Amino acid sequence: FAHFSGGRHIVMVKGIFSIPAKQRWRYEVLSEMTYPFSLPKLPYAYDALEPYIDADTMYFHHDKHFQAYVDNLNAALEGYPVFQSWSLEQLLGGLEALPEGLRTAVRNNGGGVYNHWLYFDLMTPQIQGNPQVFPPVFGQKEKLEALLKQAAMGIFGSGFAWLAADGRGRLSILALANQDNPLSYGFYPILPLDVWEHAYYLKYQNLRGNYIDNWFQVANWTKAAGRLSASGLHLL
Ligand code: MN
């Protein structure tokens, strides 16, 4: 972690997973995107997460901010054909292998692309009168939400709180600055909580805590559990 340890804060949550020594997780299940990257379609309408996240925020966040990370990542990779066949997982998991002139751009904009792809993909409209199922694999819902919120509130400036699994398979909460991704620290990313101001400022202004409380209403826990099982990590 030597190169990327600044600002990282980790809480181990629960659970021991068994991981074969040489297989930590299966990169290929995460995504198959390579250069030139394009903006993934929003998997629901802009207003689908109302009243928890407003349509204007969703539009600017997805169509403008996310698009900018895509454009900037493509521009950075344009001059490095050797790395154009690398997936985002390879790029973010192998930052130290990248030339210095490319590394920071990938860390920030590659992270921006990957983090936002997951963020939008792992939210879902609430089904009226039918609360989402919280998979038991994550333990107690209230406790996990409290830990995620604590991590997210503790981020000074911009960043994400993450539900992730560490290299030994323990379920972890990470607070990472800017667009850093768990892959760069040897963690498998499960669920991202974006606390950049662009994720909530239009509706919530400075009230990050209110945004987080409402974000839990649209977090797709079922899909998060699906990511965990697709990763090849197994609960003992
Ligand atoms: Mn964002």
Side-chain angles (χ1 to χ4, degrees), residues 188-201:
Y188 171 75
I190 297 170
L191 181 69
L193 168 51
D194 188 345
V195 292
W196 282 59
E197 284 189 342
H198 68 223
Y200 63 87
Y201 201 85

Side-chain angles (χ1 to χ4, degrees), residues 61 65 69 116 119 160 179 194 196 198-199:
H61 199 177
H65 291 279
Y69 293 118
H116 285 91
Y119 175 75
F160 286 67
Q179 295 295 347
D194 188 345
W196 282 59
H198 68 223

Side-chain angles (χ1 to χ4, degrees), residues 13-162:
V13 182
K14 64 157 283 228
I16 303 293
F17 300 80
S18 71
I19 308 174
K22 287 182 180 174
Q23 182 207 335
R24 299 170 75 189
W25 51 77
R26 301 193 298 254
Y27 272 152
E28 71 269 22
V29 303
L30 298 179
S31 83
E32 289 168 353
M33 290 188 280
T34 56
Y35 176 91
F37 295 94
S38 58
L39 184 69
K41 198 175 178 306
L42 192 66
Y44 35 75
Y46 294 110
D47 62 358
L49 306 184
E50 297 261 15
Y52 306 105
I53 302 182
D54 59 292
D56 280 353
T57 297
M58 290 299 287
Y59 169 74
F60 285 106
H61 199 177
H62 180 272
D63 283 31
K64 302 300 179 186
H65 291 279
F66 193 176
Q67 180 72 63
Y69 293 118
V70 170
D71 294 343
N72 291 334
L73 177 61
N74 286 334
L77 283 166
E78 195 179 354
Y80 295 89
V82 170
F83 299 99
Q84 290 176 359
S85 62
W86 285 34
S87 68
L88 276 173
E89 292 76 25
Q90 290 172 307
L91 290 166
L92 293 169
L95 285 178
E96 69 286 346
L98 303 181
E100 248 179 76
L102 182 61
R103 189 181 304 148
T104 302
V106 166
R107 183 179 181 181
N108 292 337
N109 295 296
V113 172
Y114 194 73
N115 299 350
H116 285 91
W117 169 61
L118 277 185
Y119 175 75
F120 289 111
D121 200 45
L122 284 158
M123 293 190 290
T124 187
Q126 229 187 27
I127 302 161
Q128 209 165 13
N130 190 8
Q132 290 186 48
V133 176
F134 186 79
V137 68
F138 295 136
Q140 195 194 343
K141 185 174 193 283
E142 292 70 26
K143 186 188 171 195
L144 192 62
E145 287 181 349
L147 286 168
L148 263 172
K149 183 176 182 180
Q150 187 186 359
M153 292 300 289
I155 294 171
F156 182 78
S158 298
F160 286 67
W162 287 90

